[in-house]
Amino acid sequence: MKFTKMHGCGNDYVYVNGMAEKIDPERKPELVRRMSERHFGVGSDGVIFINASDQADFEMEMWNADGTRGEMCGNGIRCVAKYVYDKGLTDKTELSIISGGQVKYLKLEVQDGKMLTAKVNMGKPVFAPAEIPVVMPEGAENAIDTPLMVNGETYHMTCVSMGNPHAVIFLDDVSGLEIEKLGPLFEHHERFPKRINTEFVKVLDRKHVQMRVWERGSGETLACGTGSCATAAACILNGLTDNAVTVKLLGGELLIEWDREADLIYMTGPASMVYEGEYII
């Protein structure tokens, strides 16, 4: 099976042209786990199949490294756009891509026939607890700056769905955070019936934040596009930043803008191809 290794700000996935490579759906979870393993496989945060769609220009079929399905990946969708444009599967610089039943719209910045960056309309942030989902005390309308007890310590979280669930935690320091210990405790907390992606955030100033992320099913990753969008929304809602925020990640930076009038979040960032190969399945 042919594959392409790509990353957006270090958030790396294996990309497979699902229109050319026909894989038995029942084999995919185990195949994804093997390919994602960093010692015995290709090594990645997961696998993304690029498929045809009758609802958009293309479909992004996203899988986490542990073989579970993911709904949406902001860094991944930019890589899908680069894949289909650079490989001549489309000549459009404005694309629609569906993932997890939701269509996202992208504008591509192109130079010398290659995509450099993409601006993605990531849609509306969702704060209703049942839609994230997060279990809240009866009568609570949202999970904004709400307490959560983890391992005997109280944290304050703001929960947002960007097509997948996020809990944003503001801290004074994230560089020294023992995320390998803390991340799983959030991911599998009883308040999150579908598990959770957790963003640990330090606000640097009105326009810049630092973020580390623990992604459900993948662990710590170098970047998370939907998590960056959730972080920006949480920062703005809590009055901590302006409406345009640069999110500094371990793997690079993403510009997140919230158009409050239209209630739409836009993400701008790069996508890179690393190498291509063949995997024996």
Side-chain angles (χ1 to χ4, degrees), residues 24-185:
D24 183 346
E26 293 186 0
R27 295 189 62 190
K28 284 184 176 178
E30 190 269 336
L31 176 63
V32 166
R33 287 191 290 270
R34 284 197 289 117
M35 293 190 79
S36 301
E37 215 288 325
R38 295 191 181 275
H39 298 285
F40 299 101
V42 179
S44 65
D45 293 326
V47 177
I48 289 175
F49 295 89
I50 302 170
N51 303 323
S53 173
D54 57 6
Q55 298 172 276
D57 292 317
F58 297 94
E59 181 198 21
M60 178 175 80
E61 179 189 339
M62 176 199 168
W63 292 79
N64 299 312
D66 66 353
T68 58
R69 281 297 303 272
E71 300 96 341
M72 180 59 194
C73 176
N75 291 311
I77 204 168
R78 296 197 314 275
C79 289
V80 170
K82 181 173 179 63
Y83 184 104
V84 298
Y85 186 87
D86 287 11
K87 289 184 172 293
L89 301 181
T90 184
D91 59 1
K92 295 182 178 181
T93 56
E94 296 191 10
L95 290 175
S96 61
I97 298 174
I98 189 169
S99 179
Q102 299 186 34
V103 178
K104 305 298 182 187
Y105 299 91
L106 302 86
K107 291 184 178 181
L108 282 52
E109 179 193 354
V110 174
Q111 182 177 315
D112 298 327
K114 303 293 183 183
M115 192 200 95
L116 300 180
T117 65
K119 183 175 184 178
V120 188
N121 179 345
M122 296 292 287
K124 296 182 179 182
V126 174
F127 304 102
E131 296 180 44
I132 294 172
V134 53
V135 177
M136 295 293 294
E138 186 175 351
E141 295 184 0
N142 56 50
I144 299 172
D145 192 29
T146 189
L148 179 72
M149 181 73 72
V150 176
N151 200 30
E153 186 170 348
T154 300
Y155 296 85
H156 281 259
M157 66 177 180
T158 294
C159 294
V160 189
S161 173
M162 291 302 307
N164 53 359
H166 296 271
V168 180
I169 312 295
F170 294 104
L171 300 173
D172 294 331
D173 173 64
V174 296
S175 297
L177 183 70
E178 293 184 315
I179 197 169
E180 295 82 3
K181 295 180 180 179
L182 196 56
L185 300 179

Side-chain angles (χ1 to χ4, degrees), residues 15-26:
Y15 291 80
V16 176
N17 182 346
M19 296 169 283
E21 306 286 350
K22 303 301 181 182
I23 309 300
D24 183 346
E26 293 186 0

Side-chain angles (χ1 to χ4, degrees), residues 197-214:
N197 302 289
T198 310
E199 287 73 38
F200 300 95
V201 179
K202 177 181 180 180
V203 177
L204 303 176
D205 56 42
R206 295 290 302 179
K207 297 182 182 298
H208 301 86
V209 301
Q210 180 186 2
M211 184 187 101
R212 290 177 68 184
V213 58
W214 183 269

Side-chain angles (χ1 to χ4, degrees), residues 175-195:
S175 297
L177 183 70
E178 293 184 315
I179 197 169
E180 295 82 3
K181 295 180 180 179
L182 196 56
L185 300 179
F186 278 88
E187 178 181 355
H188 299 284
H189 197 284
E190 60 184 9
R191 296 273 299 274
F192 307 117
K194 293 188 176 181
R195 298 186 294 166

Side-chain angles (χ1 to χ4, degrees), residues 214-225:
W214 183 269
E215 294 197 54
R216 59 175 182 172
S218 294
E220 183 175 24
T221 60
L222 297 185
C224 178

